[in-house]
Amino acid sequence: MIPQATPTIALEKVEFLPANHVTDDTSILTLKSLVLEPMLRWQGGQIRVGLFAKWQLDDTGCCWTLRLPQGKCFHDGSPVAAQHAAEFITRILESRDMFGMPWSYARYLEGARIEPEGTALRITTPKPFPDLPEILSEFYLSREDTWGRPIIGTGLWQVESFTAGEETTLRRRSDNRRIRFVAQPQAEDRLAALTSGNIQAATHLERLEIPQRALEGFTWQEQAGTLSVMAFMNGFEGIFRDPKARRAANLAIDRMRLIAEVIGGLAIAADTVVSPWHFGHPEAALAPLNYDPQGARRLLAECDGPRDVLLRTPTYMPERAPEIARFMAEAWDAVGFNTKVDLAADRPKYAREIGQKQMGDAAIFDSSPHSTFRVLDDKISSQSRAVWWQGVASPEVDAAFDTARHLINNTARASAYGSALAQLQSAPPWAYLFHPILCLAHRPELVGFSLDHKGILRIA
């Protein structure tokens, strides 16, 4: 619950993006999740009610029917129709990411018929697509106000005032309580504002330059997230074309020491291409790869050719990327690689280069989709060969993914995805590192505040 006085919460950003601009920025998603509603809601690997109250897949696996609840209205009082959702999806299919690169939604829904009828939306795909609800959980329906701002939604909170990039005040529709969000890009500034009493809550304190795990006099919350921090490995050329070299590179990394020394303990070790909260991961029944430098040396000794590795890294996204790169280089060199670190100062350019396969031998990156289907299709499948695929091909993984993605039964599909994720641990296409722990601090009297596994601030 929120006290009667309007509390102020500091986020990294305060923005509402146009409908055709999808983002995984958790500050922006926090505001979207309060003011708008996703078409369906992802929660810890499960799909829950969102804008649509009911959804059903037919026996062919190709036709989804989604139904709005009766009386659903936007904040301005206008009724919501399935036509609004259909138009919104069409705009999304043409969207680009924060680096100006095209998203994959158009590929997922290529050839699909999107047909609205009153309060029902029917989506028919050429092939079975049982993972579509996870995709729809990324789509938040909005309308523009008279100034062209996409801030009119259907969520529990309504925008009362908004200054782009600076602040917004939201009013809860059920009881008229208010909450104010301000933008403070630097974690140190958010912490200082919190301890001085200028704000009552601050998110993303895991990004403090000196990590900390508590704050005296305040409630401190931590939540392990779905984001994967990893390094792509080049399957087109160089030493990492050899699966033994890729596994050696993974065995050489002491993830627990990396987390303790570089991340300040604020992470959990990764074991495959997705987090423990992704669909199918529990069925994989995995544990993180053991640190085994002797095993790494033995595998590397079986590989032909030079041991030279160019490890590329950005300066941020993920946080502390240069320090991670130095740790990895030392670990790899200790087992027989010869690693050179290349630092990229321009983060958007770096992302474009990775998408264009200009990655050196390995490239530190992060993987944000909370959909197992999306991770495998966008980054792993050598059949899709999408923008983030880096040339590592596995017929066994491709076959497991192709089986999983077409299974209608959720239990069978989760098991099939688990099989693919287990194979990806034994034959890794990436250097698996960790999943960050996200940190929130607030005044003790603010109850009902929490972070979900995507890093979104939830308010009960």
Side-chain angles (χ1 to χ4, degrees):
M1 295 181 63
I2 302 172
Q4 203 61 42
T6 302
T8 298
I9 300 173
L11 303 173
E12 282 191 323
K13 300 174 184 176
V14 172
E15 295 287 356
F16 288 91
L17 298 179
N20 64 345
H21 194 146
V22 182
T23 184
D24 51 22
D25 183 285
T26 52
S27 291
I28 297 173
L29 287 175
T30 287
L31 297 177
K32 290 176 74 169
S33 296
L34 294 169
V35 175
L36 316 177
E37 287 182 290
M39 294 191 180
L40 293 171
R41 195 177 305 276
W42 182 95
Q43 192 173 46
Q46 303 297 317
I47 299 298
R48 307 296 186 199
V49 170
L51 177 73
F52 288 99
K54 296 179 181 179
W55 57 100
Q56 185 176 4
L57 180 62
D58 73 0
D59 292 340
T60 71
C62 296
C63 183
W64 282 98
T65 302
L66 302 102
R67 299 188 182 278
L68 294 164
Q70 293 295 323
K72 175 69 76 171
C73 291
F74 290 102
H75 293 154
D76 61 4
S78 58
V80 179
Q83 179 67 34
H84 295 126
E87 293 171 353
F88 186 89
I89 293 172
T90 300
R91 293 181 67 187
I92 288 288
L93 297 184
E94 302 170 352
S95 67
R96 291 180 174 267
D97 66 16
M98 63 186 295
F99 301 115
M101 301 174 69
W103 290 88
S104 302
Y105 304 118
R107 188 177 76 254
Y108 305 153
L109 291 172
E110 184 177 5
R113 297 198 310 273
I114 303 173
E115 302 169 308
E117 184 177 338
T119 60
L121 178 68
R122 185 170 292 105
I123 301 176
T124 306
T125 54
K127 295 181 179 180
F129 195 2
D131 292 299
L132 180 61
E134 283 195 332
I135 307 305
L136 296 180
S137 73
E138 301 179 35
F139 299 170
Y140 290 76
L141 185 63
S142 65
R143 296 190 68 185
E144 295 181 348
D145 66 3
T146 54
W147 292 277
R149 304 176 303 179
I151 61 174
I152 300 174
T154 61
L156 297 176
W157 296 79
Q158 184 171 347
V159 174
E160 194 166 80
S161 66
F162 171 53
T163 302
E166 297 182 15
E167 64 176 86
T168 185
T169 296
L170 309 183
R171 176 177 60 83
R172 186 166 178 159
R173 302 169 71 197
S174 60
D175 56 16
N176 288 323
R177 290 181 175 178
R178 289 168 173 80
I179 190 165
R180 177 172 172 259
F181 292 91
V182 296
Q184 290 185 321
Q186 301 302 317
E188 279 72 20
D189 293 340
R190 295 194 294 276
L191 179 63
L194 181 63
T195 55
S196 67
N198 291 331
I199 63 173
Q200 286 71 54
T203 65
H204 287 306
L205 293 180
E206 73 278 359
R207 296 179 182 172
L208 291 165
E209 185 173 346
I210 301 176
Q212 61 186 67
R213 307 293 301 270
L215 184 61
E216 186 176 357
F218 294 84
T219 299
W220 182 274
Q221 296 189 38
E222 297 183 355
Q223 180 67 276
T226 56
L227 183 77
S228 293
V229 175
M230 48 70 166
F232 287 121
M233 292 192 285
N234 192 337
F236 293 107
E237 58 185 3
I239 184 66
F240 290 135
R241 289 186 63 188
D242 191 327
K244 292 180 180 178
R246 297 196 300 272
R247 185 165 179 82
N250 272 275
L251 295 179
I253 298 170
D254 186 342
R255 291 163 186 77
M256 300 313 296
R257 188 164 71 88
L258 169 64
I259 291 168
E261 295 181 2
V262 178
I263 313 300
L266 288 169
I268 62 171
D271 52 39
T272 187
V273 296
V274 299
S275 78
W277 300 278
H278 278 72
F279 186 74
H281 188 280
E283 287 74 13
L286 297 173
L289 283 164
N290 290 328
Y291 169 53
D292 183 4
Q294 291 184 346
R297 293 187 191 98
R298 285 194 299 270
L299 283 170
L300 193 55
E302 298 175 13
C303 300
D304 296 326
R307 306 295 193 260
D308 296 338
V309 172
L310 177 62
L311 173 60
R312 301 196 65 202
T313 180
T315 56
Y316 67 98
M317 291 182 66
E319 303 302 315
R320 310 183 206 279
E323 293 85 353
I324 295 169
R326 286 194 289 271
F327 185 98
M328 292 175 65
E330 291 177 4
W332 285 354
D333 289 354
V335 300
F337 291 101
N338 178 30
T339 311
K340 177 183 177 182
V341 174
D342 174 61
L343 184 68
D346 186 332
R347 182 58 173 81
K349 180 182 177 184
Y350 177 79
R352 290 191 293 270
E353 289 172 345
I354 301 306
Q356 294 162 3
K357 321 307 180 192
Q358 300 170 19
M359 59 168 297
D361 295 294
I364 292 176
F365 216 68
D366 55 32
S367 176
S368 60
H370 57 262
S371 164
T372 300
F373 163 81
R374 279 200 61 197
V375 173
L376 295 180
D377 191 68
D378 289 3
K379 304 177 181 183
I380 300 301
S381 171
S382 62
Q383 295 178 338
S384 299
R385 301 197 173 202
V387 65
W388 301 120
W389 178 68
Q390 300 298 332
V392 176
S394 168
E396 294 79 13
V397 169
D398 284 343
F401 175 43
D402 192 60
T403 296
R405 67 186 296 181
H406 295 126
L407 289 172
I408 299 173
N409 180 275
N410 281 346
T411 301
R413 193 166 79 263
S415 178
Y417 272 127
S419 175
L421 296 176
Q423 290 182 50
L424 286 165
Q425 183 184 83
S426 60
W430 304 346
Y432 301 132
L433 299 176
F434 58 84
H435 308 290
I437 289 174
L438 312 161
C439 300
L440 162 72
H442 58 82
R443 298 291 307 174
E445 60 268 23
L446 288 182
V447 297
F449 279 41
S450 63
L451 294 170
D452 70 9
H453 289 298
K454 290 190 290 183
I456 297 173
L457 176 63
R458 303 292 185 186
I459 302 176

